[in-house]
């Protein structure tokens, strides 16, 4: 498997990948003709059944990989209105059962636990992350922080050491520097098996909730310039030296820019994926 995998977050919303009128069920097989990995983010809103996960396993090439986003109640985001009321243990058991088909198929790159902007660096939150690590001890677990306190000068090294001790994968972020609810670029490896980078864009104005009704739609509206992507080449090479594999995921898709950014990065890194699905139609 290539030591650097590049993909985007979700496969349903990238209209420039699909012929007009493509049904939802046909999008993933087409997606796998362009990228070797995807972030499965619908699992943040609802835990997918193991049957559904098995369908996605069967719809992808043998080498294809998924980064699966953890259910929102397991990362402190609370219960979605209308969602069933379940205990923490029940959510863990259901999430674990959901992940098994991908794990058994060798297609589960990591389970992504993305904590909210208010999830600051406290002893209670450290204890909770240890609880998550124990509950998913036999899964590759990636941790993404969105509160700057984890990387303040007095906590940065301690945070990285904690992740390393627990064999957790530190998710490196490229995102707007927009106050306490954002984190700086910290290109460090805490688990030698894998490093993950998520590119959220640099839309400073749209990052924080300003009361706009379309805030979530514009938050990730950003197209990376060539110069901004070039800045990352050194970081990626550094991560590659310390991890067996590096995964780059582009989430800057509020206005459909993620595929463009991902393809540019593939070109800049000189990557050539030989085990993609055959393309039925050359669109890009």
């Amino acid at each position: 498997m290539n030591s650097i995998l590049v993909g985007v977050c979700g496969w349903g919303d990238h209209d420039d990948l699909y012929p007009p009128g493509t049904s939802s069920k046909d999008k993933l097989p087409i997606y796998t003709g362009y990228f070797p990995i995807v972030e499965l983010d619908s699992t943040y809103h609802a835990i997918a059944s193991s049957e559904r996960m098995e369908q996605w396993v069967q719809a992808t090439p043998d080498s294809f990989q998924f980064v699966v986003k953890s259910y929102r109640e397991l990362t402190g985001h609370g219960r979605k209105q209308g969602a069933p009321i379940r205990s923490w243990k029940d959510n863990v058991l259901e999430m674990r059962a959901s992940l098994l088909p991908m794990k058994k198929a060798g297609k589960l790159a990591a389970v992504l636990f993305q904590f909210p902007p208010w999830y600051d660096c406290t002893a209670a939150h450290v204890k909770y992350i240890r609880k998550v690590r124990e509950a998913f001890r036999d899964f590759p677990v990636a941790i993404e922080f969105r509160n700057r306190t984890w990387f303040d000068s007095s906590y940065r090294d301690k945070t990285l050491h904690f992740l390393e001790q627990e064999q957790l994968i530190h998710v490196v972020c490229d995102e707007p520097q927009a106050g306490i609810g954002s984190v700086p670029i910290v290109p460090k490896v805490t688990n030698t098996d894998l490093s993950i980078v998520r590119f959220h864009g640099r839309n400073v104005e749209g990052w924080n909730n300003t009361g706009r009704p379309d805030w979530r739609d514009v938050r990730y509206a950003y197209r990376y310039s060539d110069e901004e992507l070039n800045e990352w080449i050194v970081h990626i090479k550094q991560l590659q030296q310390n991890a067996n594999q590096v995964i780059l995921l582009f989430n800057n898709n509020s206005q459909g820019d993620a595929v463009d950014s991902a393809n540019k990065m593939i070109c800049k890194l000189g990557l050539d994926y030989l085990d993609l699905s055959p393309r039925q139609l050359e669109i890009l």
Side-chain angles (χ1 to χ4, degrees):
M1 183 178 292
N2 200 301
S3 62
I4 302 178
L5 301 180
V6 181
V8 298
C9 298
W11 63 79
D13 298 329
H14 310 284
D15 293 339
D16 44 353
L17 282 181
Y18 312 115
T22 301
S23 65
S24 297
K25 67 180 180 63
D26 292 329
K27 288 184 175 180
L28 179 57
I30 295 175
Y31 175 94
T32 63
Y34 294 93
F35 300 109
I37 190 166
V38 73
E39 179 182 304
L40 176 53
D41 49 13
S42 63
T43 46
Y44 165 79
H45 301 285
I47 300 173
S49 67
S50 58
E51 292 80 11
R52 190 73 177 116
M53 297 288 261
E54 180 63 34
Q55 290 174 358
W56 289 327
V57 166
Q58 296 299 324
T60 53
D62 291 344
S63 63
F64 192 82
Q65 296 288 293
F66 293 86
V67 171
V68 180
K69 199 168 184 181
S70 177
Y71 180 52
R72 58 181 296 150
E73 288 189 59
L74 295 175
T75 52
H77 288 86
R79 186 170 61 89
K80 186 178 180 180
Q81 186 174 5
I85 299 175
R86 295 169 296 201
S87 68
W88 189 86
K89 183 178 179 180
D90 285 342
N91 280 324
V92 167
L93 291 174
E94 188 170 341
M95 188 81 199
R96 286 177 55 87
S98 174
L99 295 167
L100 282 179
M102 287 184 180
K103 182 184 178 185
K104 289 178 180 178
K107 294 188 176 185
L108 180 64
V111 189
L112 169 64
F113 285 78
Q114 181 193 59
F115 290 96
W118 58 86
Y119 205 86
D120 56 353
C121 184
T122 65
H125 289 159
V126 169
K127 182 178 179 180
Y128 179 78
I129 294 171
R130 284 200 173 102
K131 182 180 179 181
V132 166
R133 169 75 281 185
E134 191 56 38
F136 293 88
R137 177 63 63 182
D138 49 341
F139 291 89
V141 173
I143 302 293
E144 178 175 343
F145 295 117
R146 285 204 164 173
N147 186 287
R148 187 173 294 269
T149 57
W150 294 92
F151 297 111
D152 283 346
S153 58
S154 56
Y155 289 112
R156 179 182 182 276
D157 290 344
K158 293 178 182 178
T159 294
L160 295 171
H161 181 63
F162 160 63
L163 296 176
E164 186 174 2
Q165 275 189 320
E166 296 295 330
Q167 295 183 306
L168 294 163
I169 300 158
H170 166 229
V171 178
V172 184
C173 294
D174 184 296
E175 63 191 35
Q177 297 307 290
I180 192 71
S182 60
V183 296
I185 295 173
V186 183
K188 296 292 184 180
V189 172
T190 58
N191 184 315
T192 56
D193 288 336
L194 179 63
S195 179
I196 298 176
V197 183
R198 297 181 81 228
F199 293 85
H200 298 299
R202 300 180 181 182
N203 185 352
V204 176
E205 183 179 350
W207 186 251
N208 295 315
N209 189 348
T210 58
R212 289 180 52 163
D214 61 345
W215 166 65
R216 294 189 181 279
D217 294 330
V218 303
R219 187 179 199 193
Y220 304 106
Y222 193 81
R223 176 163 291 222
Y224 283 96
S225 68
D226 283 330
E227 292 74 16
E228 289 168 335
L229 294 177
N230 288 339
E231 293 171 6
W232 267 95
I233 303 301
V234 173
H235 293 320
I236 293 167
K237 297 298 184 183
Q238 177 185 344
L239 295 172
Q240 193 179 19
Q241 290 176 3
N242 295 288
N244 296 330
Q245 189 166 75
V246 178
I247 292 174
L248 311 177
L249 295 167
F250 285 85
N251 193 36
N252 55 318
N253 201 49
S254 291
Q255 294 179 355
D257 293 316
V259 166
D260 175 78
S261 297
N263 278 316
K264 284 183 176 178
M265 184 62 83
I266 288 172
C267 291
K268 289 178 182 298
L269 293 170
L271 301 174
D272 187 15
Y273 300 118
L274 302 178
D275 46 1
L276 301 176
S277 294
R279 296 188 190 181
Q280 297 179 355
L281 180 65
E282 288 290 342
I283 301 173
L284 296 183

Coordinates of all heavy atoms in Angstrom, one line a residue, residues 121-183:
C121 N -8.4 21.4 27.6 CA -7.5 20.5 28.2 C -7.6 20.6 29.8 O -7.1 21.5 30.5 CB -6.0 21.0 27.9 SG -4.7 20.0 28.5
T122 N -8.4 19.6 30.3 CA -8.6 19.5 31.7 C -8.4 18.0 32.1 O -8.4 17.1 31.3 CB -10.0 19.9 32.1 OG1 -11.0 18.9 31.5 CG2 -10.4 21.3 31.6
A123 N -8.2 17.8 33.4 CA -8.0 16.5 33.9 C -9.2 15.6 33.6 O -9.0 14.4 33.3 CB -7.7 16.5 35.4
A124 N -10.4 16.1 33.7 CA -11.6 15.3 33.4 C -11.6 14.9 32.0 O -12.0 13.7 31.7 CB -12.8 16.1 33.8
H125 N -11.2 15.7 31.1 CA -11.2 15.4 29.6 C -10.1 14.4 29.3 O -10.3 13.5 28.4 CB -11.2 16.7 28.8 CG -12.4 17.5 28.9 ND1 -12.4 18.8 28.6 CD2 -13.7 17.1 29.2 CE1 -13.7 19.3 28.7 NE2 -14.4 18.3 29.1
V126 N -9.0 14.5 29.9 CA -7.9 13.5 29.7 C -8.4 12.2 30.2 O -8.2 11.2 29.5 CB -6.6 14.0 30.5 CG1 -5.6 12.8 30.5 CG2 -6.0 15.2 29.8
K127 N -9.1 12.2 31.3 CA -9.6 10.9 31.9 C -10.6 10.3 30.9 O -10.6 9.1 30.7 CB -10.2 11.2 33.2 CG -10.8 9.9 33.9 CD -11.3 10.3 35.3 CE -11.9 9.0 36.0 NZ -12.5 9.3 37.3
Y128 N -11.4 11.1 30.3 CA -12.4 10.6 29.4 C -11.8 10.0 28.2 O -12.2 8.9 27.7 CB -13.4 11.7 29.0 CG -14.4 11.1 28.0 CD1 -15.5 10.4 28.4 CD2 -14.3 11.4 26.6 CE1 -16.4 9.8 27.5 CE2 -15.2 10.8 25.7 CZ -16.3 10.1 26.2 OH -17.2 9.5 25.3
I129 N -10.8 10.6 27.6 CA -10.1 10.1 26.5 C -9.4 8.8 26.8 O -9.4 7.8 26.0 CB -9.0 11.1 25.9 CG1 -9.8 12.4 25.4 CG2 -8.2 10.5 24.8 CD1 -8.9 13.5 25.0
R130 N -8.9 8.6 28.0 CA -8.4 7.3 28.4 C -9.5 6.3 28.4 O -9.3 5.1 28.1 CB -7.7 7.4 29.8 CG -6.4 8.1 29.8 CD -5.6 7.7 31.1 NE -4.2 8.2 31.0 CZ -3.8 9.3 31.6 NH1 -4.6 10.0 32.3 NH2 -2.5 9.7 31.5
K131 N -10.7 6.7 28.9 CA -11.8 5.8 28.9 C -12.2 5.3 27.5 O -12.5 4.2 27.2 CB -13.0 6.5 29.5 CG -14.3 5.7 29.7 CD -15.4 6.5 30.3 CE -16.7 5.7 30.5 NZ -17.7 6.5 31.1
V132 N -12.1 6.3 26.5 CA -12.4 5.9 25.1 C -11.3 5.0 24.6 O -11.6 4.0 23.9 CB -12.4 7.2 24.2 CG1 -12.3 6.9 22.8 CG2 -13.6 8.0 24.5
R133 N -10.1 5.2 24.9 CA -9.0 4.4 24.5 C -9.2 2.9 25.0 O -9.0 2.0 24.2 CB -7.6 4.9 25.0 CG -6.4 4.0 24.9 CD -5.9 3.9 23.5 NE -6.7 3.0 22.6 CZ -6.4 2.7 21.4 NH1 -5.3 3.2 20.8 NH2 -7.1 1.9 20.6
E134 N -9.6 2.8 26.2 CA -9.9 1.5 26.8 C -11.0 0.8 26.1 O -11.0 -0.4 25.8 CB -10.1 1.6 28.3 CG -10.1 0.2 29.0 CD -8.8 -0.5 28.8 OE1 -7.7 0.1 28.7 OE2 -8.9 -1.8 28.7
A135 N -12.1 1.6 25.8 CA -13.3 1.0 25.2 C -13.0 0.5 23.8 O -13.7 -0.4 23.3 CB -14.4 2.0 25.2
F136 N -12.1 1.2 23.1 CA -11.7 0.8 21.7 C -10.3 0.4 21.6 O -9.6 0.7 20.7 CB -12.0 2.0 20.8 CG -13.5 2.4 20.7 CD1 -14.1 3.2 21.6 CD2 -14.3 1.8 19.7 CE1 -15.4 3.5 21.5 CE2 -15.6 2.1 19.6 CZ -16.2 2.9 20.5
R137 N -9.8 -0.3 22.6 CA -8.4 -0.7 22.7 C -7.9 -1.5 21.5 O -6.8 -1.4 21.1 CB -8.2 -1.5 24.0 CG -6.8 -2.1 24.2 CD -5.8 -1.0 24.4 NE -6.0 -0.1 25.6 CZ -5.2 0.9 25.9 NH1 -4.2 1.3 25.1 NH2 -5.5 1.7 26.9
D138 N -8.8 -2.3 20.9 CA -8.4 -3.1 19.8 C -8.7 -2.5 18.4 O -8.8 -3.1 17.4 CB -9.1 -4.5 19.9 CG -10.6 -4.4 20.2 OD1 -11.1 -3.3 20.6 OD2 -11.3 -5.4 19.9
F139 N -8.9 -1.2 18.4 CA -9.2 -0.4 17.2 C -8.1 0.7 17.1 O -7.7 1.2 18.1 CB -10.6 0.2 17.2 CG -11.7 -0.8 17.0 CD1 -12.2 -1.4 18.2 CD2 -12.2 -1.1 15.8 CE1 -13.3 -2.3 18.1 CE2 -13.2 -2.1 15.7 CZ -13.7 -2.6 16.8
P140 N -7.8 1.1 15.9 CA -6.9 2.3 15.7 C -7.7 3.5 16.0 O -8.7 3.8 15.3 CB -6.4 2.2 14.3 CG -7.5 1.4 13.6 CD -8.1 0.5 14.6
V141 N -7.4 4.3 17.0 CA -8.1 5.5 17.4 C -7.3 6.7 17.2 O -6.2 6.9 17.6 CB -8.5 5.4 18.9 CG1 -9.2 6.7 19.4 CG2 -9.5 4.2 19.2
A142 N -8.0 7.7 16.5 CA -7.4 9.0 16.2 C -8.1 10.1 16.9 O -9.3 10.0 17.0 CB -7.4 9.2 14.7
I143 N -7.4 11.0 17.5 CA -7.9 12.1 18.3 C -7.7 13.4 17.6 O -6.5 13.8 17.3 CB -7.3 12.1 19.7 CG1 -7.5 10.8 20.4 CG2 -7.8 13.3 20.5 CD1 -8.9 10.4 20.8
E144 N -8.8 14.2 17.4 CA -8.7 15.5 16.9 C -9.2 16.5 17.9 O -10.4 16.4 18.3 CB -9.4 15.7 15.6 CG -9.4 17.1 15.0 CD -10.0 17.2 13.7 OE1 -10.3 16.2 13.0 OE2 -10.3 18.4 13.3
F145 N -8.4 17.4 18.3 CA -8.8 18.5 19.2 C -9.2 19.7 18.4 O -8.6 20.0 17.3 CB -7.6 18.9 20.2 CG -7.2 17.8 21.1 CD1 -6.0 17.2 21.0 CD2 -8.1 17.3 22.0 CE1 -5.6 16.2 21.9 CE2 -7.8 16.3 22.9 CZ -6.5 15.7 22.8
R146 N -10.1 20.5 19.0 CA -10.5 21.8 18.4 C -10.5 22.9 19.4 O -11.2 23.9 19.2 CB -11.9 21.6 17.8 CG -11.8 20.9 16.4 CD -13.0 21.2 15.5 NE -12.7 20.8 14.2 CZ -13.6 20.8 13.2 NH1 -14.8 21.3 13.4 NH2 -13.3 20.5 12.0
N147 N -9.8 22.7 20.5 CA -9.6 23.7 21.5 C -8.2 24.0 21.7 O -7.4 23.0 21.9 CB -10.3 23.3 22.8 CG -10.3 24.4 23.9 OD1 -9.2 24.7 24.4 ND2 -11.4 25.0 24.1
R148 N -7.8 25.2 21.6 CA -6.4 25.6 21.5 C -5.6 25.3 22.8 O -4.4 25.1 22.8 CB -6.3 27.1 21.2 CG -4.9 27.6 21.0 CD -4.9 29.1 20.5 NE -5.6 29.2 19.2 CZ -4.9 29.1 18.1 NH1 -3.6 29.0 18.1 NH2 -5.5 29.2 16.9
T149 N -6.3 25.1 23.9 CA -5.6 24.9 25.2 C -4.7 23.6 25.2 O -3.7 23.6 25.9 CB -6.6 24.8 26.4 OG1 -7.5 23.7 26.1 CG2 -7.3 26.1 26.6
W150 N -5.1 22.6 24.4 CA -4.3 21.4 24.3 C -2.9 21.7 23.8 O -2.0 20.9 24.0 CB -5.0 20.4 23.4 CG -6.3 19.9 24.0 CD1 -7.6 20.4 23.7 CD2 -6.5 18.8 24.9 NE1 -8.5 19.7 24.5 CE2 -7.9 18.7 25.2 CE3 -5.6 17.9 25.5 CZ2 -8.4 17.8 26.1 CZ3 -6.1 17.0 26.4 CH2 -7.5 16.9 26.7
F151 N -2.8 22.8 23.0 CA -1.5 23.0 22.4 C -0.9 24.4 22.8 O 0.0 24.9 22.2 CB -1.6 23.0 20.9 CG -2.0 21.6 20.4 CD1 -3.2 21.4 19.8 CD2 -1.1 20.5 20.5 CE1 -3.6 20.1 19.4 CE2 -1.4 19.3 20.1 CZ -2.7 19.0 19.5
D152 N -1.4 24.9 23.9 CA -0.7 26.1 24.5 C 0.7 25.7 24.9 O 0.9 24.5 25.1 CB -1.5 26.6 25.7 CG -2.8 27.4 25.4 OD1 -2.9 27.8 24.2 OD2 -3.6 27.6 26.2
S153 N 1.6 26.6 25.0 CA 3.0 26.3 25.3 C 3.2 25.5 26.5 O 4.1 24.6 26.6 CB 3.8 27.6 25.4 OG 3.2 28.4 26.5
S154 N 2.3 25.6 27.5 CA 2.5 24.9 28.8 C 1.9 23.5 28.7 O 2.2 22.6 29.6 CB 1.8 25.6 30.0 OG 0.4 25.9 29.7
Y155 N 1.1 23.2 27.7 CA 0.5 21.8 27.6 C 0.9 21.1 26.3 O 0.6 19.9 26.2 CB -1.0 22.0 27.6 CG -1.6 22.3 29.0 CD1 -2.2 23.6 29.2 CD2 -1.5 21.4 30.1 CE1 -2.6 23.9 30.4 CE2 -2.0 21.8 31.3 CZ -2.6 23.0 31.5 OH -3.1 23.4 32.7
R156 N 1.4 21.7 25.3 CA 1.7 21.1 24.0 C 2.4 19.8 24.2 O 2.0 18.7 23.7 CB 2.4 22.1 23.1 CG 2.7 21.5 21.7 CD 3.5 22.6 20.9 NE 3.8 22.1 19.6 CZ 4.9 21.4 19.3 NH1 5.7 21.0 20.2 NH2 5.1 21.0 18.0
D157 N 3.6 19.8 24.8 CA 4.4 18.6 24.9 C 3.7 17.5 25.7 O 3.8 16.3 25.5 CB 5.8 18.9 25.5 CG 6.6 19.7 24.5 OD1 6.3 19.8 23.3 OD2 7.6 20.3 25.0
K158 N 3.0 18.0 26.8 CA 2.3 17.0 27.6 C 1.1 16.3 26.8 O 0.9 15.1 27.0 CB 1.7 17.7 28.9 CG 2.8 18.2 29.8 CD 2.2 18.9 31.0 CE 3.3 19.5 31.9 NZ 2.7 20.2 33.1
T159 N 0.5 17.1 26.0 CA -0.6 16.6 25.2 C -0.1 15.5 24.2 O -0.6 14.4 24.1 CB -1.3 17.7 24.4 OG1 -2.0 18.6 25.3 CG2 -2.3 17.1 23.4
L160 N 1.0 15.8 23.5 CA 1.6 14.9 22.6 C 2.1 13.6 23.3 O 2.0 12.5 22.8 CB 2.7 15.5 21.8 CG 2.3 16.7 20.9 CD1 3.5 17.4 20.3 CD2 1.4 16.2 19.7
H161 N 2.7 13.8 24.5 CA 3.2 12.7 25.3 C 2.1 11.8 25.7 O 2.2 10.6 25.7 CB 4.0 13.2 26.5 CG 4.6 12.1 27.3 ND1 5.6 11.2 26.8 CD2 4.3 11.7 28.6 CE1 5.9 10.3 27.8 NE2 5.2 10.6 28.9
F162 N 1.0 12.4 26.1 CA -0.2 11.6 26.6 C -0.7 10.8 25.4 O -1.0 9.6 25.6 CB -1.3 12.6 27.0 CG -2.7 12.1 27.0 CD1 -3.0 11.0 27.8 CD2 -3.7 12.6 26.3 CE1 -4.3 10.5 27.9 CE2 -4.9 12.1 26.3 CZ -5.3 11.0 27.1
L163 N -0.9 11.4 24.2 CA -1.3 10.6 23.0 C -0.4 9.5 22.7 O -0.8 8.4 22.4 CB -1.5 11.6 21.8 CG -2.5 12.7 22.0 CD1 -2.5 13.6 20.7 CD2 -3.9 12.1 22.1
E164 N 0.9 9.8 22.8 CA 1.9 8.7 22.5 C 1.8 7.6 23.5 O 1.9 6.4 23.1 CB 3.3 9.4 22.5 CG 4.4 8.4 22.1 CD 5.8 9.1 22.0 OE1 5.8 10.3 22.3 OE2 6.7 8.4 21.6
Q165 N 1.7 7.9 24.8 CA 1.6 6.9 25.8 C 0.4 6.0 25.6 O 0.5 4.8 25.8 CB 1.5 7.5 27.2 CG 2.8 7.9 27.8 CD 2.5 8.4 29.3 OE1 1.6 9.1 29.6 NE2 3.4 8.0 30.2
E166 N -0.7 6.6 25.2 CA -1.9 5.8 25.0 C -2.0 5.2 23.6 O -3.0 4.6 23.2 CB -3.2 6.7 25.2 CG -3.3 7.2 26.6 CD -3.5 6.1 27.6 OE1 -4.1 5.1 27.3 OE2 -3.1 6.3 28.8
Q167 N -1.0 5.3 22.8 CA -0.9 4.8 21.4 C -2.1 5.4 20.6 O -2.7 4.7 19.7 CB -0.9 3.3 21.4 CG 0.3 2.7 22.0 CD 0.3 1.2 21.9 OE1 -0.6 0.5 22.4 NE2 1.4 0.6 21.3
L168 N -2.4 6.6 20.8 CA -3.5 7.3 20.0 C -2.8 8.1 18.9 O -1.7 8.6 19.0 CB -4.2 8.3 21.0 CG -5.0 7.6 22.1 CD1 -5.4 8.6 23.2 CD2 -6.3 7.0 21.5
I169 N -3.6 8.2 17.8 CA -3.1 8.9 16.6 C -3.5 10.3 16.7 O -4.7 10.7 16.8 CB -3.8 8.2 15.3 CG1 -3.4 6.7 15.2 CG2 -3.3 9.0 14.1 CD1 -4.4 5.9 14.4
H170 N -2.5 11.2 16.7 CA -2.7 12.6 16.7 C -3.1 13.1 15.3 O -2.4 12.9 14.3 CB -1.4 13.3 17.1 CG -1.4 14.8 16.9 ND1 -0.4 15.4 16.2 CD2 -2.3 15.8 17.1 CE1 -0.6 16.7 16.1 NE2 -1.8 16.9 16.6
V171 N -4.3 13.7 15.2 CA -4.8 14.3 14.0 C -4.2 15.7 13.8 O -4.6 16.6 14.6 CB -6.3 14.3 13.9 CG1 -6.8 14.9 12.6 CG2 -6.9 12.9 14.0
V172 N -3.4 15.9 12.9 CA -2.8 17.2 12.6 C -3.8 18.0 11.7 O -4.4 17.4 10.8 CB -1.5 17.0 11.8 CG1 -0.8 18.4 11.5 CG2 -0.5 16.1 12.5
C173 N -4.0 19.2 12.1 CA -5.1 20.0 11.4 C -4.5 21.2 10.7 O -3.6 21.9 11.2 CB -6.1 20.5 12.4 SG -7.1 19.2 13.2
D174 N -5.1 21.5 9.6 CA -4.9 22.8 8.9 C -6.2 23.5 8.9 O -7.2 23.0 8.3 CB -4.4 22.6 7.5 CG -4.1 23.9 6.8 OD1 -5.0 24.7 6.6 OD2 -2.9 24.2 6.5
E175 N -6.3 24.5 9.7 CA -7.6 25.2 9.9 C -7.4 26.6 10.2 O -6.3 27.1 10.5 CB -8.4 24.5 11.0 CG -7.8 24.6 12.4 CD -8.6 23.7 13.4 OE1 -9.0 22.6 13.0 OE2 -8.7 24.1 14.5
P176 N -8.5 27.5 10.1 CA -8.3 28.9 10.4 C -7.8 29.1 11.8 O -8.2 28.4 12.7 CB -9.7 29.4 10.3 CG -10.4 28.4 9.4 CD -9.8 27.1 9.7
Q177 N -7.0 30.1 12.0 CA -6.5 30.5 13.3 C -7.5 31.5 13.8 O -7.3 32.7 13.6 CB -5.1 30.9 13.3 CG -4.1 29.8 12.8 CD -4.2 28.6 13.6 OE1 -3.8 28.5 14.8 NE2 -4.8 27.5 13.0
A178 N -8.5 31.0 14.5 CA -9.7 31.9 14.8 C -10.0 31.8 16.3 O -11.2 31.6 16.6 CB -10.9 31.5 13.9
G179 N -9.0 31.9 17.1 CA -9.3 31.9 18.6 C -9.3 30.6 19.2 O -8.7 29.6 18.7
I180 N -9.9 30.5 20.4 CA -9.8 29.3 21.3 C -10.4 28.1 20.6 O -9.9 27.0 20.9 CB -10.5 29.6 22.6 CG1 -10.2 28.6 23.7 CG2 -12.0 29.8 22.4 CD1 -8.8 28.6 24.2
G181 N -11.3 28.2 19.7 CA -11.9 27.1 19.1 C -11.2 26.6 17.8 O -11.9 26.1 16.9
S182 N -9.9 26.8 17.8 CA -9.1 26.3 16.6 C -7.8 26.0 17.2 O -7.3 26.4 18.2 CB -9.0 27.4 15.5 OG -8.4 28.6 16.0
V183 N -7.1 25.1 16.4 CA -5.8 24.6 16.9 C -4.7 25.0 15.8 O -5.0 25.0 14.6 CB -5.7 23.1 17.2 CG1 -6.7 22.8 18.3 CG2 -6.1 22.3 15.9

